[in-house]
Amino acid sequence: MRFLINFIPFMAGCLGFFAWSGSVENELNVKKYEGEIVQKEQVEKVLDIGSNVVTVPVYKLVLSSGKTITVPRPIFQKLNKGDHAVLLIQNNRITLSK
């Protein structure tokens, strides 16, 4: 019985630590996309919300590395075709690095 009294809090602490360390690892995971902007695309995405149909603009950049990245409007407007860009993606947030 004494063993269980000590073992259960120890296991709870271990499980809590592993869950915390996994979340910290995800927070520090950053993807870097670098290249020259080959093409800028603005397309309309159609969303069906019940009986309403709504269109939402989607902004995409095609890099010289072959990657197509969906970016927010401010980044889309800031960059021009032929510019060199370094985009950092972390937790579905995109930032532009110079």
Side-chain angles (χ1 to χ4, degrees):
M1 186 67 168
R2 179 125 173 111
F3 173 74
L4 283 178
I5 291 172
N6 292 330
F7 181 72
I8 292 174
F10 174 75
M11 285 305 296
C14 288
L15 292 174
F17 171 74
F18 289 125
W20 176 78
S21 65
S23 67
V24 169
E25 182 181 345
N26 287 338
E27 285 291 324
L28 299 176
N29 187 15
V30 178
K31 293 181 183 177
K32 179 180 176 181
Y33 297 101
E34 184 174 359
E36 193 173 301
I37 297 176
V38 178
Q39 185 178 0
K40 291 175 68 172
E41 298 176 356
Q42 178 180 352
V43 295
E44 297 291 326
K45 183 177 180 181
V46 178
L47 300 176
D48 183 18
I49 304 173
S51 62
N52 296 332
V53 176
V54 179
T55 58
V56 178
V58 177
Y59 305 99
K60 295 182 181 185
L61 297 175
V62 179
L63 300 177
S64 60
S65 61
K67 299 285 184 185
T68 302
I69 301 171
T70 303
V71 296
R73 184 175 183 221
I75 292 177
F76 183 80
Q77 290 178 333
K78 192 173 197 176
L79 295 172
N80 295 317
K81 192 173 179 181
D83 288 349
H84 182 77
V86 178
L87 298 166
L88 303 172
I89 300 176
Q90 180 181 20
N91 291 340
N92 294 328
R93 280 194 327 240
I94 300 175
T95 55
L96 180 62
S97 177
K98 289 285 178 176

